[in-house]
Amino acid sequence: LMAGIFVSGGTYSGSGDVTTEFFVCHAVASTVFLPDGTMTVTGESSGYESNYAFTLNSSYTTLDNQSGTLKITSPDDPYVGFTATSDKYVYNVICSGSTIMHPKSAGCTIENDLTIDAGQFWSRQAGMIKDLTVSGNVLINSGTLQAHEANDVSPATCSFGSLTIETGGTYG
């Protein structure tokens, strides 16, 4: 397990499989090459940008996802943010934490597949509706993909290549 990764300018370049406590790219000009294998995030950040398992919410960040996978296993209630300026987004995302994952950005785009193995992945945060686009497949093995709640004035706009909900999964 690597301690958390905090990128504040410069370049981060990962390869193979990487396990880290958190990944935070600060709001300055940075270039991020995510690993071409799996980046497993096991916790969340503390301090200035606290409670993030993973974030690339800076308009200054250039991202190359290298067709890798981001796997979030944090047992806490982390925020995630996937937006970068290069028109490239995280490629595959696997949520297997035991609690809620909140996309904390203007919306969330995943370039390929989203898999939920446990916990909940919300496309909203603090009552604000967030759109969700998954260009590939969404597979809910167990857990919940929560796109809206009953009292929402309007639901989030969700777009998927396909949606498969297994016996232990829920889409709401």
Side-chain angles (χ1 to χ4, degrees), residues 71 93-97 114-119 139-144 168:
K71 182 176 184 178
V93 176
I94 299 172
C95 297
S96 62
L114 169 63
T115 302
I116 301 173
D117 288 331
L139 174 59
I140 307 171
N141 287 314
S142 180
T144 302

Side-chain angles (χ1 to χ4, degrees), residues 24-95:
V24 172
C25 188
H26 190 62
V28 295
S30 301
T31 301
V32 173
F33 295 90
L34 291 176
D36 52 357
T38 299
M39 174 181 272
T40 302
V41 180
T42 62
E44 62 185 49
S45 61
S46 61
Y48 173 67
E49 295 189 71
S50 62
N51 301 350
Y52 280 95
F54 182 91
T55 185
L56 283 169
N57 276 342
S58 172
S59 61
Y60 306 107
T61 300
T62 300
L63 170 66
D64 186 337
N65 63 39
Q66 298 195 90
S67 300
T69 298
L70 172 64
K71 182 176 184 178
I72 300 182
T73 64
S74 174
D76 300 318
D77 187 12
Y79 295 118
V80 292
F82 300 138
T83 306
T85 61
S86 63
D87 294 331
K88 294 195 81 174
Y89 305 96
V90 291
Y91 193 71
N92 292 315
V93 176
I94 299 172
C95 297

Side-chain angles (χ1 to χ4, degrees), residues 110-132:
I110 298 169
E111 194 171 322
N112 197 37
D113 297 337
L114 169 63
T115 302
I116 301 173
D117 288 331
Q120 298 181 26
F121 187 93
W122 290 59
S123 64
R124 56 178 291 131
Q125 194 266 325
M128 296 171 48
I129 297 166
K130 310 291 183 173
D131 295 338
L132 174 63

